[in-house]
Amino acid sequence: MKEVGIGILGFGTVGAGVVEGLQKHSDLLAERTGLRLVIRKIADIDLDRDRGVAVDPSLLTTDAAAVVDDPSVDVVVELIGGTHVAKELMLRALALGKPVVTANKALLAECGDEVYAAAGQNGADLLFEASVGGGIPIIRALREGLSGNRILQICGILNGTCNYILTRMEHERLPFDQVLAEAQQAGYAEAEPALDIDGLDTAHKTVVLASQAFGRSVQMSDVQVEGIRGIDSLDIEYAAELGYRIKLLAVIKEDAGEIEVRVHPALIPCSHMLASVSGVFNAVLVTGDVVGETLYYGRGAGREPTASAVIGDIADAARNRASGTPNRIPAFVALKDVPTIRAADKIRTRYYMRLSLKDAPGMFGRVANILGHHGISIASVVQKEVRSGAYVPVVMLTHAAGEGAFRAALNEIDALDEVGAPTVRFRIEDFE
Ligand code: HSE
């Protein structure tokens, strides 16, 4: 049987999962692909740590560039992460015409144009299924299964850490800081959690999805990003009373020749499918103009799910190389007549607001006047009986309003003497 040599750069958690998966399913993969996938080299800066997987020590090296250059390595698997060394190695492999498999969403989001172009110019495969949604084959769905559609909308829960935190806050009525600390102790959240909880990891994945779906270059600066840091469990509770659940949502939506690309916590109806996605799970809802709504669900992170996606890409790259059809499906296909990015001020959504109002006559009226002056219509109002000094929480839901008008109204409202603390606000995503 023909052999295809694999070189793995980065022997961390995912790298070890890939090695284990390739060993475990060597025969299965050989049956499916007609090829024997053989690990020729594994590069890492630390060769001593026990990864819980047995490898021939002669495969291990600290010289990643030599792995890329090794003539017996046909497919390069980049699992180093980061945007510097990883990019250099990736470009080096592509320049040699070697297919590259990566899980590196930060690199694709920040330097996508450069690496996609390098893959195209060299006619080499660049495969990145593991970059979004862990084991969920969402990139393949967009590139292959849905290629007969114009994509109208993608909404996703793309960060397991945030979804785990929000789920526990809701189910156990715990404060954000306590859940984050416990998640860190249990290994569900990083010691430095900013990338996850400030929404950047989700934004990286959103950029990758948006560029695939719309065939245009999308930059991190095109994404409106808000994370979940410091979310108050009070809002989770009030949202639930109103029939909503708070999720960190990625939204990519096409409308009238523009796309909005945003990442933020949002109230979604408890009855919606995405509201049932709990804990570390991810889900992506994709709407195509021909197919309608489609939903993809699974484990969005971790050793095995990510390894599953990487191994699927290795198998594809090996098949393409063996059959002489590299770059059969390009990493990025630029389309004509692509939508422009909608300015933040023009993005229209409904809003949830929690105001801290002095319990005095005429307060609702003053707030309603300001909202009305900015063309914002109130859908419902609930005054909670909980008191914090002289102030009461008042929850308002609005009809759809532009972000610019809403922000201006909020500035005026928060400047009122009778408002005790800055108003908390979340977008509402009704999926209508
Ligand atoms: N840290 C991410 C998550 C996984 O929590 O979903 C890697 O993107």
Side-chain angles (χ1 to χ4, degrees):
M1 187 177 280
K2 191 167 177 183
E3 292 189 353
V4 175
I6 315 296
I8 296 176
L9 314 180
F11 198 25
T13 305
V14 176
V18 170
V19 170
E20 187 172 65
L22 286 172
Q23 290 173 348
K24 177 179 172 188
H25 285 315
S26 174
D27 289 344
L28 178 67
L29 285 160
E31 277 188 86
R32 288 206 168 125
T33 62
L35 301 163
R36 181 64 65 185
L37 308 181
V38 183
I39 299 172
R40 304 261 200 238
K41 284 284 174 203
I42 303 170
D44 200 281
I45 45 173
D46 175 1
L47 302 184
D48 301 323
R49 189 158 54 89
D50 179 12
R51 277 89 172 172
V53 53
V55 288
D56 175 351
S58 71
L59 299 182
L60 297 172
T61 174
T62 54
D63 190 348
V67 174
V68 172
D69 296 344
D70 187 328
S72 75
V73 168
D74 302 303
V75 177
V76 173
V77 182
E78 183 279 309
L79 299 171
I80 295 173
T83 53
H84 299 292
V85 175
K87 185 173 86 173
E88 294 314 313
L89 291 165
M90 205 182 268
L91 294 175
R92 187 177 181 122
L94 293 171
L96 292 169
K98 295 190 181 187
V100 172
V101 173
T102 182
N104 195 333
K105 76 261 341 176
L107 175 54
L108 295 172
E110 285 167 25
C111 317
D113 291 349
E114 187 180 354
V115 290
Y116 296 147
Q121 279 153 17
N122 294 290
D125 274 319
L126 171 59
L127 300 165
F128 43 89
E129 187 60 76
S131 65
V132 182
I136 305 171
I138 184 63
I139 302 294
R140 260 184 197 70
L142 287 172
R143 294 213 301 207
E144 301 181 45
L146 299 177
S147 60
N149 288 259
R150 280 217 174 263
I151 302 301
L152 305 176
Q153 179 171 310
I154 300 177
C155 288
I157 293 170
L158 299 176
N159 186 274
T161 305
C162 290
N163 207 45
Y164 171 85
I165 291 172
L166 292 174
T167 303
R168 280 201 63 198
M169 285 180 71
E170 182 190 346
H171 291 179
E172 298 170 50
R173 296 177 173 238
L174 294 172
F176 177 86
D177 289 338
Q178 182 182 337
V179 178
L180 173 60
E182 288 178 13
Q184 286 172 315
Q185 276 160 18
Y188 291 124
E190 302 284 342
E192 179 36 74
L195 199 61
D196 290 318
I197 66 173
D198 292 332
L200 290 175
D201 174 77
T202 304
H204 287 148
K205 295 165 179 169
T206 304
V207 165
V208 174
L209 290 180
S211 57
Q212 287 298 315
F214 290 97
R216 59 155 289 156
S217 166
V218 178
Q219 307 301 319
M220 281 295 282
S221 55
D222 294 327
V223 190
Q224 307 299 316
V225 188
E226 284 169 43
I228 65 161
R229 193 187 285 270
I231 278 191
D232 194 325
S233 44
L234 204 56
D235 295 302
I236 293 179
E237 198 180 306
Y238 292 168
E241 287 173 19
L242 294 162
Y244 291 95
R245 198 159 276 155
I246 298 182
K247 294 287 184 190
L248 182 68
L249 213 58
V251 179
I252 308 163
K253 203 183 266 191
E254 200 267 341
D255 174 45
E258 293 183 334
I259 43 169
E260 46 193 68
V261 190
R262 47 191 165 91
V263 170
H264 52 77
L267 270 68
I268 62 176
C270 289
S271 56
H272 192 270
M273 292 176 291
L274 286 180
S276 325
V277 178
S278 300
V280 296
F281 277 83
N282 282 196
V284 195
L285 179 71
V286 182
T287 310
D289 65 344
V290 180
V291 70
E293 286 190 347
T294 60
L295 182 66
Y296 310 84
Y297 170 85
R299 292 185 186 278
R303 177 178 142 127
E304 281 79 17
T306 311
S308 164
V310 170
I311 292 170
D313 278 352
I314 293 173
D316 259 14
R319 285 187 186 105
N320 288 346
R321 189 152 175 102
S323 62
T325 55
N327 208 25
R328 189 177 63 84
I329 300 174
F332 173 73
V333 179
L335 299 178
K336 288 187 206 142
D337 301 327
V338 291
T340 53
I341 303 286
R342 178 165 286 176
D345 277 5
K346 283 177 64 189
I347 294 175
R348 288 179 67 80
T349 58
R350 297 180 63 213
Y351 283 95
Y352 161 104
M353 306 163 71
R354 175 167 56 84
L355 301 110
S356 171
L357 287 187
K358 191 167 268 181
D359 201 2
M363 277 313 302
F364 276 172
R366 296 190 67 179
V367 171
N369 269 345
I370 294 173
L371 290 170
H373 176 70
H374 288 277
I376 299 164
S377 170
I378 299 169
S380 63
V381 182
V382 183
Q383 178 173 325
K384 311 303 290 188
E385 295 206 24
V386 188
R387 282 169 183 275
S388 154
Y391 298 96
V392 286
V394 173
V395 174
M396 288 188 179
L397 304 189
T398 74
H399 290 294
E403 157 116 20
F406 186 79
R407 206 181 310 120
L410 214 54
N411 286 341
E412 279 184 43
I413 290 168
D414 283 350
L416 294 173
D417 286 342
E418 295 86 351
V419 169
T423 300
V424 174
R425 66 105 180 101
F426 294 103
R427 294 177 187 278
I428 301 174
E429 204 60 50
D430 282 309
F431 302 99
E432 283 167 349

